Amino acid sequence: MAKRSSGEPLREEEKRRINKTSLQQLAGVFKFMVPYKGIFILGLVALVFSSVTLMAFPRLSGELLDIASGKPKYFSTINQAALALLGILFVQGIFSFIRVYTFSIVTERGMADVRKSIYQKIIWMPLSFFDNRRVGELMSRMIADIETLQGTFSFTLAELLRQIITLITGTVIIFYLAPTLTAFMLLTFPVLVLSALVFGKFIRKLSKTTQDTLASANVIVEESFQSVSVVKAFTNESFEINRYSTAINTVVNTALRGARYRGLFISFIVFVLFGGIVAVGWKGASLVQAQAITTGELFSFILYTSFIGFSIAGLGDIYTQLQRSIGASERVLDILHEKDENINEPVVPVKLHGDISFEHVSFAYPTRNDFTVLKDLNFHIAPGEKVALVGQSGSGKSTIINLLMRFYGAKQGSIQVDGKDIHDFNLTAYRQNIGIVPQEVILFGGTILENIAYGKPGATLEEIHAAARKANAYEFIESFPDKFGTIVGERGVKLSGGQRQRIAIARAILKDPAILILDEATSSLDAHSEVLVQQALEKLMEGRTTIIIAHRLSTIKKVDRIFVIKEGMLAETGSHAELTRLDNGIYSNLLKLQLQ
């Protein structure tokens, strides 16, 4: 993700009013710096000394001219003044190093704590949290927002303090050096600064408009490239070219309009800024001629004025960065304040037998509260029983699994395992008893060994090999040059569908769950792979309570019972043989349709 420079205009969602409340919001992130407060205070002290020491530089530079014109104040020779200047620069350099290094220590360690806290918080969030947020948004919190805060605490905060110290100290000094010239400058420069700020704001708005129009043009490119087959199928190449050309022409016209104003802005700034310098120089030369101040004092005054001018200019960027930081802190703290599934208590392992009961369960997803998916659902599954869930898409099969896994909580009714409400179990200990083999297997980008071991972190090599053998995966794994060290690629793309399924089965076997969930694990496989996977699944199901979400009814003939779900309710139940004998039954009709 590309970082945006501080000079870019703020997007609407980045604009934040800087007041007491918003600064308190930003300070909420500062608690992560508290463990390193000693180092931070040392950095602040070094910052103050660095800034104050540097403020002696303009005065001693002016002293060189005063010595040369025969009007020394502090030193008698040019060499002494030059050595004093070098000494100031050396001391200032030491303090600057201490400030940069200490602030970096505090920021790096503090932001590492923020990253770990946010990742820990997100990974413990319930599935309902992810229903309302895109992965890209969460990645932005983890990367862009924390980078913004990191820049604030390592650079922006230090710069803000340094500019304030420079502004205050410099103003006091020039009042002391040349009060008349200072008063003249203060009558001139505020008008120039305000004019520049207003004009600059207008230019930034034009720049944002150009960026927006370019983004619109890029959307056309992205859409046409992603849907190039549709473009070609409808022979709309010329249409897309014209559409893109029109958008680019708009970008060019907007950019040229901005360039005209930007040119005027630069000309205005050069004229007004140097005009102000000429005015101050004219007044200063008049005071030197009248012997009201020395040449060296005038030179020092000009240097101090430059320091003050740079400080005022720098505060604009700092203000923009603070606005971004306040927005970033709000988004980060919003996540940290969310309620998660981590109850911070020791996990006491529990061994379930797999007796499952749904009693008057009703449920609607939080994102669709107006649509009830399950309606007064009741059923019982005995330990070790193999049950298949059958029904049309949207009937509630996956929702039953989501509730059993405690991904969501039932709206009404209760779900019990081994005679105990599932919410009375420690969540981690409870889920350790459930294994799942999904239809679309997701593997992590590491090795085959790491992906199988994910079912039981800390498993021995012998246990992993045994699980691979039971899953009919050992043979193909050993055929690879790197064997169990083979990299599977992102989401397992380097393996075939059947190979991924068998690794997922090996992972489930290694976990040794009391309750097994199979989401039609063979539906997308070829005949040869399906046979191998089916054999592995039969070994996996031995002695476990198994719930199978079935799409192809031919794969569930051997289960103990079949639950036919229709519109969130249990419509039919029985074995394959029993349900096929029902005249005009839902299951028998579905079977006839598939056989056709």
Side-chain angles (χ1 to χ4, degrees):
M1 184 177 295
K3 291 178 68 175
R4 300 175 70 236
S5 68
S6 59
E8 290 184 37
L10 288 171
R11 297 188 297 261
E12 285 301 318
E13 66 270 21
E14 290 182 311
K15 292 180 180 179
R16 294 292 188 279
R17 192 184 299 274
I18 295 182
N19 51 33
K20 182 179 178 181
T21 304
S22 61
L23 289 175
Q24 285 175 343
Q25 186 83 26
L26 182 59
V29 182
F30 203 82
K31 67 180 181 181
F32 290 95
M33 310 296 171
V34 172
Y36 317 106
K37 60 184 177 184
I39 301 174
F40 184 71
I41 291 170
L42 175 62
L44 284 178
V45 172
L47 171 66
V48 172
F49 278 110
S50 166
S51 302
V52 172
T53 304
L54 189 61
M55 293 307 294
F57 183 81
R59 185 65 196 98
L60 291 179
S61 298
E63 179 71 4
L64 285 173
L65 294 179
D66 284 341
I67 293 171
S69 61
K71 298 177 182 179
K73 286 191 176 182
Y74 306 110
F75 299 98
S76 55
T77 66
I78 291 175
N79 290 341
Q80 289 176 345
L83 286 173
L85 279 169
L86 290 175
I88 285 171
L89 292 175
F90 180 75
V91 172
Q92 193 272 339
I94 292 174
F95 284 129
S96 292
F97 172 79
I98 294 172
R99 185 263 297 176
V100 170
Y101 188 61
T102 51
F103 272 47
S104 295
I105 291 173
V106 173
T107 303
E108 291 295 336
R109 292 178 179 172
M111 288 301 110
D113 292 342
V114 173
R115 285 188 172 93
K116 287 185 281 189
S117 296
I118 289 189
Y119 180 75
Q120 178 180 322
K121 172 63 75 169
I122 291 175
I123 211 73
W124 272 108
M125 294 303 289
L127 273 187
S128 56
F129 172 83
F130 296 93
D131 290 342
N132 298 314
R133 290 167 177 82
R134 293 172 295 179
V135 172
E137 177 192 348
L138 297 177
M139 289 299 296
S140 180
R141 301 294 82 80
M142 289 286 299
I143 299 173
D145 285 344
I146 295 179
E147 279 185 358
T148 299
L149 292 173
Q150 185 163 1
T152 298
F153 287 106
S154 63
F155 177 76
T156 307
L157 183 60
E159 279 300 297
L160 175 62
L161 295 173
R162 193 168 69 83
Q163 304 294 15
I164 290 173
I165 291 170
T166 300
L167 188 60
I168 294 172
T169 309
T171 304
V172 170
I173 291 173
I174 61 172
F175 261 113
Y176 173 76
L177 275 178
T180 305
L181 188 57
T182 302
F184 178 83
M185 184 199 74
L186 291 178
L187 289 173
T188 309
F189 270 76
V191 177
L192 307 182
V193 172
L194 287 173
S195 301
L197 287 175
V198 171
F199 210 167
K201 188 175 182 181
F202 175 69
I203 294 296
R204 284 196 294 273
K205 282 185 177 179
L206 282 177
S207 175
K208 182 180 182 300
T209 304
T210 304
Q211 289 173 349
D212 291 343
T213 54
L214 183 58
S216 299
N218 289 337
V219 167
I220 296 173
V221 175
E222 184 179 356
E223 287 180 346
S224 59
F225 284 178
Q226 286 179 344
S227 308
V228 68
S229 59
V230 177
V231 174
K232 291 186 175 296
F234 285 88
T235 63
N236 273 338
E237 291 92 343
S238 298
F239 172 78
E240 292 296 339
I241 290 169
N242 290 333
R243 194 158 70 106
Y244 182 64
S245 298
T246 303
I248 285 297
N249 290 336
T250 304
V251 172
V252 170
N253 293 334
T254 306
L256 290 177
R257 179 168 173 260
R260 285 196 297 272
Y261 283 106
R262 195 162 55 250
L264 287 172
F265 177 61
I266 292 171
S267 301
F268 169 80
I269 287 296
V270 170
F271 177 78
V272 169
L273 182 62
F274 283 95
I277 292 172
V278 168
V280 172
W282 167 79
K283 183 64 177 178
S286 301
L287 291 173
V288 171
Q289 193 175 45
Q291 296 185 347
I293 58 173
T294 66
T295 306
E297 286 173 337
L298 176 60
F299 182 69
S300 298
F301 181 91
I302 292 171
L303 284 181
Y304 279 120
T305 304
S306 300
F307 278 31
I308 293 169
F310 285 131
S311 296
I312 293 172
L315 287 173
D317 279 344
I318 290 171
Y319 182 86
T320 301
Q321 186 62 26
L322 281 176
Q323 283 186 297
R324 285 200 181 102
S325 301
I326 288 168
S329 67
E330 286 177 1
R331 293 186 291 270
V332 166
L333 291 174
D334 281 347
I335 290 178
L336 291 176
H337 292 156
E338 289 273 358
K339 183 174 175 56
D340 59 32
E341 294 179 331
N342 185 12
I343 55 177
N344 294 316
E345 66 179 31
V347 178
V348 180
V350 58
K351 188 65 177 175
L352 300 178
H353 297 96
D355 184 275
I356 302 171
S357 293
F358 273 56
E359 298 178 0
H360 305 289
V361 172
S362 296
F363 176 76
Y365 283 98
T367 53
R368 294 175 296 163
N369 271 317
D370 56 333
F371 179 71
T372 304
V373 182
L374 299 182
K375 305 165 187 174
D376 197 32
L377 185 64
N378 295 274
F379 63 76
H380 174 257
I381 303 173
E385 190 175 11
K386 295 167 183 58
V387 170
L389 303 180
V390 175
Q392 294 179 341
S393 296
S395 59
K397 303 186 300 294
S398 297
T399 302
I400 292 172
I401 302 304
N402 287 337
L403 294 182
L404 182 62
M405 291 287 294
R406 283 179 60 181
F407 291 154
Y408 301 90
K411 186 178 179 181
Q412 293 177 355
S414 69
I415 303 170
Q416 297 185 349
V417 172
D418 293 356
K420 184 178 179 181
D421 192 289
I422 59 173
H423 292 92
D424 292 337
F425 291 102
N426 174 280
L427 181 61
T428 301
Y430 172 74
R431 285 184 183 159
Q432 284 173 347
N433 284 270
I434 303 177
I436 184 166
V437 180
Q439 181 178 357
E440 183 184 351
V441 174
I442 296 175
L443 300 181
F444 296 95
T447 65
I448 290 175
L449 182 75
E450 290 167 343
N451 274 282
I452 295 176
Y454 201 78
K456 183 184 176 183
T460 65
L461 196 59
E462 290 75 17
E463 289 175 319
I464 293 170
H465 284 193
R469 285 191 178 93
K470 290 180 181 177
N472 281 343
Y474 189 83
E475 185 178 341
F476 84 78
I477 294 172
E478 285 291 307
S479 70
F480 293 140
D482 294 326
K483 303 184 187 315
F484 279 83
T486 301
I487 301 295
V488 303
E490 186 178 358
R491 300 173 70 89
V493 293
K494 293 184 179 181
L495 302 179
S496 69
Q499 290 169 339
R500 288 197 298 270
Q501 286 286 8
R502 280 176 278 171
I503 287 176
I505 293 168
R507 187 163 63 188
I509 289 172
L510 189 63
K511 186 176 184 179
D512 191 25
I515 300 170
L516 178 64
I517 297 167
L518 304 176
D519 187 359
E520 194 56 274
T522 63
S523 61
S524 58
L525 303 180
D526 59 76
H528 177 68
S529 297
E530 182 177 354
V531 170
L532 293 172
V533 170
Q534 196 62 47
Q535 290 172 352
L537 288 174
E538 288 173 2
K539 291 177 184 176
L540 177 58
M541 288 188 286
E542 290 175 0
R544 308 177 202 279
T545 302
T546 305
I547 301 176
I548 304 169
I549 296 180
H551 303 288
R552 288 194 299 173
L553 305 185
S554 59
T555 62
I556 58 169
K557 292 179 180 179
K558 295 180 182 180
V559 300
D560 299 315
R561 280 192 297 162
I562 296 169
F563 291 170
V564 180
I565 311 297
K566 182 179 180 181
E567 297 178 353
M569 295 182 287
L570 188 59
E572 295 175 0
T573 180
S575 66
H576 172 76
E578 290 169 345
L579 292 180
T580 52
R581 288 196 296 267
L582 292 177
D583 292 333
N584 203 29
I586 299 172
Y587 180 81
S588 60
N589 286 335
L590 285 172
L591 190 60
K592 289 172 186 174
L593 286 172
Q594 289 197 3
L595 289 174
Q596 288 175 358

